[in-house]
Every structure is written in structure tokens, then in C-alpha cells.
């Protein structure tokens, strides 16, 4: 309501709305089919939840770079069996559901609540899978960053991958989203609308840019030699401090 009051006071010509809450609590209840154009960004996976796109609403979805991640993993794995490990939270269950819905992938899944269970599941999944996707896990009870780094360097047996920058120290490969892509696209689109183009003529987009991080400590343990295409433009995790 505070944002709505500011909009009504300022009378802007276009509004950029970042993340799901802006769509859920501002655009959807107050501005569907309104004269005022909106550009959303950072909206996770599915705009249909809010009835977008609309004649006055377009934007960029935020999706995990799953296809790029799986392509890189398959190039290093010895089989097709995929493990999936994450914290047992509502947001991570939704993330798993969205990936399954979009890509129809069949995973052996472990969702955990404690650091001990995380470590046990990490070891277990590697015994029955050929590659492992590691999702958000730092929220589990008792999580210890330094211990997790030591643990994965000692216990990794198969190629592992993450899709968030803050997990780069725990996986062999990380395909991280580039947050600036959302803001830059939204800004360009807002300028296009100010130039006279209707939002309904601008298709909803998805993020595509990736920043690749390679964990050489894990690579040395697995005796992995990364292909040149993956090395080009990649950053080594040893060069990046943990967030």
C-alpha cells in the first residue's frame, strides 16, 4: 500500500517492479489492465501465477540455468542418473517442482534439515548416482561453511554442480545467474515503453546469462580435465571469497 501511495503521488509513466512480492502484492491486486505500464523482473519461474503478461504488464522471469548445468555435468559424468540435494524448505520444494515441471527430469532427491543429514545425503547420493545437483543448503541447522568446504573436497566422488553463486565452493561446477541481466533488461524495456511501444508487444523474457565458476580442488580430486569451452571465461573458486 505504501508503494501504491507513492505511485499515485508521483504519477510515473512506467514502473519497474522487482521480485515476486511486487507482483503478488502490488501489480496483481491493484494494476491489472490499468493504463500505467509495468515491467517486472526477478519473478521466479512462472508469471501465470499473477495473470501475466497483460496489455500493461511484461517482464523478465528469473529461472535456474538448468539446461546449461546439465549439459556440463553430462559431459563429465559416467552415466545418466541424477541426484538432487537441498534443504527441506518451502522455497526449495517449489524450486524442485518448477524444475521438474519445466524439464521433466527424474531425480533421486534428498531434502534435509540438519548439517549432519546434509553430509550423509551427499555421501549416499554419490553411491547411487552419476552426477549431483546441489541446491540451497546453507539454511540447514548447524551448517558450517569451512567444514562443508573441507567435507566436499574430501568426499566428492562424482561430478557435482550448483546454480547459485553462493554455493560455488561446494560444487565442481557452478552456473550462476547474472543479477545485472534482470535490471539491464528491465531498464531497456522501460525506455522502449517510454518510446511508445506497448508492453503487450514485448514478449516476456527469461534470463540467459551465466557466470561459470570451477572448483579446481574438487576437479583435482576427480581427475577432471575441463573442456576448453568451459574454461573460457570461467572463474576459479579459489579466486573468490565466500559470501
Amino acid at each position: 500500500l505504501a508503494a501504491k501511495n507513492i505511485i499515485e503521488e508521483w504519477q510515473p509513466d512506467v514502473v519497474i517492479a522487482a521480485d515476486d512480492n511486487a507482483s503478488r502484492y502490488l501489480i496483481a491486486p491493484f494494476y491489472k489492465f490499468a493504463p500505467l505500464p509495468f515491467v517486472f523482473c526477478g519473478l521466479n519461474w512462472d508469471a501465470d501465477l499473477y495473470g501475466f503478461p497483460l496489455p500493461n504488464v511484461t517482464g523478465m522471469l528469473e529461472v535456474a540455468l538448468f539446461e546449461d548445468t546439465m549439459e556440463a555435468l553430462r559431459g563429465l559424468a559416467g552415466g545418466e542418473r541424477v541426484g538432487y540435494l537441498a534443504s527441506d524448505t518451502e522455497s526449495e520444494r517449489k524450486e524442485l517442482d518448477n524444475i521438474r515441471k519445466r524439464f521433466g527430469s527424474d531425480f533421486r532427491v534428498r531434502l534435509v534439515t540438519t548439517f549432519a543429514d546434509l553430509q550423509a545425503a551427499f555421501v549416499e547420493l554419490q553411491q547411487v548416482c552419476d552426477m549431483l545437483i546441489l541446491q540451497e543448503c546453507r539454511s540447514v541447522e548447524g551448517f558450517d561453511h569451512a567444514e562443508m568446504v573441507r567435507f566436499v573436497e574430501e568426499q566428492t566422488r562424482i561430478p557435482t554442480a550448483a546454480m547459485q553463486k553462493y554455493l560455488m565452493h561446494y560444487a565442481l561446477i557452478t552456473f550462476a545467474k547474472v543479477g545485472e541481466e534482470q535490471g539491464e533488461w528491465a531498464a531497456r524495456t522501460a525506455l522502449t515503453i517510454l518510446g511508445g511501444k506497448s508492453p503487450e508487444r514485448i514478449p516476456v523474457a527469461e534470463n540467459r546469462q551465466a557466470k561459470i565458476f570451477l572448483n579446481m580442488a574438487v576437479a583435482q580430486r576427480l581427475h577432471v580435465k575441463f573442456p576448453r569451452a568451459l574454461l573460457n571465461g570461467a572463474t576459479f573458486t579459489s579466486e573468490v571469497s565466500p559470501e
Side-chain angles (χ1 to χ4, degrees):
L1 288 174
K4 181 174 181 289
N5 289 338
I6 290 173
I7 289 171
E8 291 173 353
E9 178 185 347
W10 288 2
Q11 293 291 302
D13 298 301
V14 63
V15 175
I16 295 173
D19 289 336
D20 282 66
N21 282 345
S23 292
R24 180 181 295 115
Y25 298 116
L26 180 71
I27 307 176
F30 299 118
Y31 290 103
K32 282 186 174 180
F33 301 101
L36 178 62
F38 281 82
V39 179
F40 64 77
C41 62
L43 199 161
N44 290 302
W45 288 102
D46 189 3
D48 292 345
L49 293 171
Y50 312 111
F52 306 156
L54 292 168
N56 68 312
V57 181
T58 190
M60 174 175 273
L61 297 173
E62 181 175 343
V63 300
L65 300 172
F66 180 78
E67 291 176 304
D68 295 330
T69 300
M70 289 305 303
E71 181 181 355
L73 273 181
R74 288 192 176 104
L76 300 170
E80 289 291 321
R81 299 172 300 174
V82 184
Y84 189 101
L85 177 58
S87 59
D88 189 5
T89 62
E90 181 180 359
S91 60
E92 285 307 304
R93 288 192 292 271
K94 287 182 178 178
E95 181 78 357
L96 176 59
D97 288 343
N98 280 315
I99 289 175
R100 280 175 161 163
K101 185 189 306 181
R102 174 72 67 90
F103 302 106
S105 296
D106 184 23
F107 306 124
R108 189 180 292 265
V109 176
R110 294 291 182 272
L111 301 177
V112 297
T113 57
T114 69
F115 190 39
D117 288 342
L118 173 67
Q119 292 174 305
F122 188 86
V123 171
E124 175 205 351
L125 286 171
Q126 293 185 94
Q127 296 170 354
V128 294
C129 297
D130 302 299
M131 49 190 142
L132 175 62
I133 295 173
L134 183 66
Q135 290 281 63
E136 193 289 308
C137 60
R138 298 199 305 184
S139 62
V140 299
E141 181 183 348
F143 185 84
D144 184 301
H145 166 73
E147 172 61 19
M148 185 64 174
V149 171
R150 184 200 64 78
F151 176 79
V152 299
E153 289 180 1
E154 292 181 356
Q155 297 295 329
T156 300
R157 302 286 188 273
I158 61 175
T160 58
M163 292 179 282
Q164 292 91 11
K165 180 181 177 182
Y166 62 85
L167 298 174
M168 73 176 87
H169 295 281
Y170 318 136
L172 173 66
I173 304 168
T174 300
F175 275 81
K177 294 170 283 190
V178 178
E180 290 83 357
E181 180 183 7
Q182 297 275 338
E184 290 168 1
W185 187 93
R188 288 194 302 269
T189 300
L191 292 173
T192 299
I193 291 170
L194 290 175
K197 191 169 186 176
S198 171
E200 63 186 330
R201 294 176 54 209
I202 304 172
V204 171
E206 295 182 356
N207 56 287
R208 291 299 310 154
Q209 296 178 20
K211 188 166 181 60
I212 302 171
F213 297 92
L214 302 178
N215 190 325
M216 299 308 293
V218 174
Q220 289 172 7
R221 174 171 182 79
L222 297 177
H223 305 291
V224 164
K225 292 184 178 180
F226 293 114
R228 186 175 298 275
L230 201 57
L231 285 168
N232 289 339
T235 299
F236 298 131
T237 58
S238 58
E239 301 171 355
V240 185
S241 299
E243 295 184 3

